[in-house]
Amino acid sequence: MSDPKSAPRVVRPPPSAQQRGRRRFLRLGLAGTAALAAGAVLAWQTSGYEVPDATARTLIALSAKEYLVVAAVAARILRSDGADFPSADEVDAALFIDKMVARVDPANRTDLLRLLHLLEHVIPLQSGRAGRFTRLDGAGQDAVLTAMMTSPVGLVRGAFEALKSLCVMAYFRDARTWGAIGYDGPLVGRPREGWTDLATLGARRERAR
Amino acid sequence: MSARILHGRELARGDRSESCDVVVCGGGAGGSMAARELARAGLEVVLLEEGGDHEPAGFTQREDEMIPELFQELGGRRTEDLAILVLSGRGLGGSTIHNTNLCKRIAPEILARWRDEHGLRGLTDAALAPLFAEVEQLLSVTQIPQARVNAANAIMQRGIERLGFRGGRLSHNRDERCIGSGFCELGCAYDGKLNARRLLIPQAVAAGATVYTDARVDRFRVERGQLRDVRATLTDGRGNARGTLSVRAKAICLAGSAIGSAALALRSELHDPHAQLGRGLRIHPGAAVVGVFDERVDAWRGIPQSVDCTELLDLRPGSDKRVWIVPSFAHPVGAAALVPGFGPSLFREMRRYSHLVALAAMVHDETEGRVTLDDGRVRIAYEPNEADRAQLALGARGAARILMAAGAREVMVPAMPAITIRSERDLDQLLPSRFAPHDAKLTAVHPMGTLRMGSDPATSVVDERGRHHTMRSLYVVDGSLFPTSIGGPPQIGIYTLALKVARSVIDDLGARPA
């Protein structure tokens, strides 16, 4: 039941501290005034972000720059501990996230895209890294993401969790990731034989212990 | 007006209008029950549901496909501070499509509190018992047989028994079509749930109700204290407008959940002299506690929740035990989102996925949150207070003890930094301070309150009959009604109160119950 723009404005109480906090974070940034001003300028830089034409043509919600930020984040969050897992690129994680972002309602989408620009330009500064997130090496990117994940500012942690949720959705939806975790996937589409035993398997196993 | 289900995405573009006796805004447990009851009494009913109408054949058991379809905000709805994931349903049938079918009555202790603190003198256990029974019969509620308890639930049972804790098998509303696939939270592909979509909507339509899906209610309008009309946007199922729908009716029933109904009331500028709209939100915040077992458990197989632990649940007012513990398992996407960290550490934990048993420690919360609008966007302000954080810690300790007693090699509490427990001594890490926002990962699946029942208009929105204190043609028929948390699964309480309120509407409109 989201609200149409045409609906009359509602008289509301003043925003709570949480509301103000979220707005401040999502609309202005994370740093102090000076850093914010710099971040606001940098956030609109679009040069130096090129993706292959074929990729650019498939993007729905993300710009080339935003796509590259997402791809970089996904590559670090989804960097596995072994070769038996596919890479984030192999499962097209960033392209999937583009499709998900396209489905997000416009207001939340705007917030999410602002977060990507902040992550690219401002959050690295916050964690003592000069330069864009996408230009940092892997260790530098991990340090920035770790700083977000452990930030004393709750909203920054929440933003990290939102990004991580998108990444793991983009990744573990892919059947190629299931073998290494022992998951056998959906039942629909499989032969029905044996299904009715599923519910009792656990109980039988327990009784056997 | 003819009985039918109309899908906004399939209708010709353009504007439509309807006229009826009662318009029901929301097609979940409460809305479906109300629509059924009203239509069976011979009233003309139009039900408007924002989400789609999901056929069991379309439930693919894939998280990436079903979560965005079945949950509000694509499954990503969070509290204002982004700390708590708040899952609530979307689509015809509402949360009964994705819930795990747990059935419990509202406890007598809760009803006594509602009587003593909120003046709800008619909602006694004795008065509601026949209605509870009627609902349970309608939904064919039965206790899950032991033979259908899956491995993860059996492990929890073992832990409870070894500790001598209080607990037992739960009651559900499912039938023989349920094969125990374990994909309940993604919709039942086998149509084994005796839920609002399968049972109540067809009966409502058979009795003459008209149901619109993909119909996002924008607002209702009031004129001289009476409902003028309800305005909705017909969408393509992805939120894009295809037309408008205007419904004129004598009465309106709000059934969009504790979040959606409050937001609609706020958008519609419902008379609110005491600023009560949206207040009193409870959500049963829950912390996950995960045991790692040597044996393979494959906890995703079988009925996900068939036992509970009530050792730490005393529903009397002022109780210092307010935690309900139930198994809680996620498919890979949900599990990975819960595991702390990223990169190799995330994958190391996910390699143990088939050896995990997760429990949820859900708090019967005293914290009062609030639903507001911010430039039209729904905001959920909710931060567990100190007492509820202590309960989360108590619950996590209890869940960890159950898992260890059951033989867990290690117990994890998803938090930042992660909490790992390998012995009783490690339980001391589970301090209330670790359950502050953004520390332990919290999830909520039971939004309640926001349009509370009560006898005092200064502290409530509707009266005991579910009717607004001043706008007499407006009723509430969903979990918004609850003046407090109920400390258990809400669907039976919602169905029952919706049935009761619907009969009030029937009476007020001069019709006769079926």
Side-chain angles (χ1 to χ4, degrees), chain B residues 181-253:
Chain B
S181 71
F183 288 92
C184 304
E185 93 280 14
L186 302 179
C188 183
Y190 317 100
D191 210 13
K193 296 181 176 186
L194 294 165
N195 59 23
R197 177 63 187 93
R198 180 173 156 192
L199 289 181
L200 305 182
I201 291 292
Q203 291 181 21
V205 171
T210 295
V211 174
Y212 280 88
T213 66
D214 309 314
R216 185 178 64 218
V217 179
D218 300 321
R219 65 169 305 177
F220 54 82
R221 295 192 297 181
V222 180
E223 210 169 64
R224 288 191 287 278
Q226 291 298 313
L227 177 69
R228 182 175 160 194
D229 62 7
V230 172
R231 298 295 185 94
T233 300
L234 297 169
T235 73
D236 62 358
R238 293 290 176 103
N240 304 307
R242 288 175 55 84
T244 65
L245 174 62
S246 169
V247 184
R248 297 187 76 94
K250 295 173 188 162
I252 179 172
C253 290

Side-chain angles (χ1 to χ4, degrees), chain B residues 83-119:
Chain B
I84 305 177
L85 184 65
V86 182
L87 296 172
S88 50
R90 185 173 180 278
L92 200 56
S95 292
T96 73
I97 298 295
H98 70 76
N99 73 10
T100 50
N101 298 68
L102 308 188
C103 294
K104 279 194 177 190
R105 296 182 179 190
I106 300 172
E109 297 93 327
I110 299 295
L111 296 174
R113 181 176 176 190
W114 291 2
R115 179 195 63 212
D116 296 341
E117 297 180 10
H118 300 275

Side-chain angles (χ1 to χ4, degrees), chain A residues 18 152 154 157, chain B residues 79 81-84 285-287 382-386 388-393 413-417 419 429-443:
Chain A
Q18 284 178 340
R157 287 201 215 182
Chain B
T79 49
D81 62 356
L82 306 180
I84 305 177
Y382 186 96
E383 183 177 326
N385 63 23
E386 202 174 333
D388 284 347
R389 289 179 204 171
Q391 291 299 312
L392 284 163
V413 178
M416 186 51 62
I419 300 170
Q429 297 176 75
L430 295 172
L431 299 169
S433 58
R434 294 306 312 271
F435 294 87
H438 299 286
D439 270 347
K441 295 195 179 187
L442 302 181
T443 302

Side-chain angles (χ1 to χ4, degrees), chain A residues 1-4 7-13 16 18-20 22-23 25 27 76-85 96 100 103-105 107-108 111 141-142 145-146 149-150 154-155 157-162 164-165 168-169 171-175 178 180-188 190 192 195-196 198-203 205-207 209, chain B residues 25 50 59-64 67-69 73-74 78-82 146-151 154-155 158 179-181 183 189-190 216-219 238 256 260 264 266-267 269 295-298 300-302 331-333 336-337 339-344 346-348 350-351 353-354 370 372-377 379 381-383 416 438-439 441:
Chain A
M1 295 191 184
S2 60
D3 192 45
R9 284 184 64 83
V10 173
V11 178
R12 299 183 310 274
S16 67
Q18 284 178 340
Q19 286 172 321
R20 290 195 300 273
R22 179 165 171 165
R23 287 180 198 159
F25 164 62
R27 295 184 183 166
R76 300 316 296 176
I77 286 180
L78 302 172
R79 187 169 67 91
S80 79
D81 63 341
D84 50 346
F85 281 104
F96 176 85
M100 283 293 287
R103 296 182 64 179
V104 173
D105 68 80
N108 282 331
D111 278 354
Q141 290 175 338
D142 283 354
L145 293 172
T146 300
M149 183 176 70
T150 58
L155 285 162
R157 287 201 215 182
F160 170 82
E161 294 298 336
K164 180 183 164 185
S165 293
V168 299
M169 172 79 88
Y171 188 79
F172 285 104
R173 80 196 154 92
D174 193 296
W178 296 342
I181 62 171
Y183 176 61
D184 56 356
L187 295 175
V188 291
R190 290 198 218 168
R192 287 191 73 113
W195 284 12
T196 49
L198 282 171
T200 57
L201 272 177
R205 220 179 255 159
E206 276 303 297
R207 283 195 291 274
R209 282 174 61 86
Chain B
C25 300
E50 175 192 19
F59 294 138
T60 62
Q61 303 181 336
R62 295 184 55 93
E63 292 168 279
D64 57 317
I67 289 173
E69 286 294 325
E73 297 185 23
L74 310 180
R78 287 181 175 270
T79 49
E80 172 72 26
D81 62 356
L82 306 180
Q146 183 63 36
R148 301 206 75 186
V149 173
N150 81 348
I155 284 171
R158 189 168 73 215
I179 67 160
S181 71
F183 288 92
Y190 317 100
R216 185 178 64 218
V217 179
D218 300 321
R219 65 169 305 177
R238 293 290 176 103
L264 175 58
L266 287 163
R267 280 202 303 273
E269 301 178 70
E295 72 267 29
R296 248 191 104 119
V297 181
D298 294 348
W300 64 87
R301 287 188 173 150
H331 287 92
V333 170
V339 169
F342 66 92
L346 167 67
F347 284 81
R348 278 194 294 277
M350 287 302 289
R351 285 185 189 282
Y353 178 64
S354 60
R370 188 175 180 188
T372 58
L373 296 178
D374 178 12
D375 294 334
R377 297 167 74 180
R379 297 294 193 210
Y382 186 96
E383 183 177 326
M416 186 51 62
H438 299 286
D439 270 347
K441 295 195 179 187

Side-chain angles (χ1 to χ4, degrees), chain A residues 45-53 55-56 59 61-76 88-89 93-95 97-98 113 116-117 119-121 132-136 141 145 163 167:
Chain A
Q45 284 198 1
T46 55
S47 61
Y49 298 97
E50 289 170 10
V51 296
D53 286 347
T55 302
L59 293 178
L62 300 176
S63 66
K65 174 184 177 181
E66 291 154 355
Y67 169 81
L68 289 170
V69 176
V70 165
V73 170
R76 300 316 296 176
D89 275 350
L95 287 176
I97 291 171
D98 172 58
L113 297 181
L116 296 177
H117 289 281
L119 175 55
E120 173 69 342
H121 296 294
R132 303 173 182 186
F133 180 81
T134 52
R135 303 272 171 91
L136 297 175
Q141 290 175 338
L145 293 172
L163 286 175
C167 289

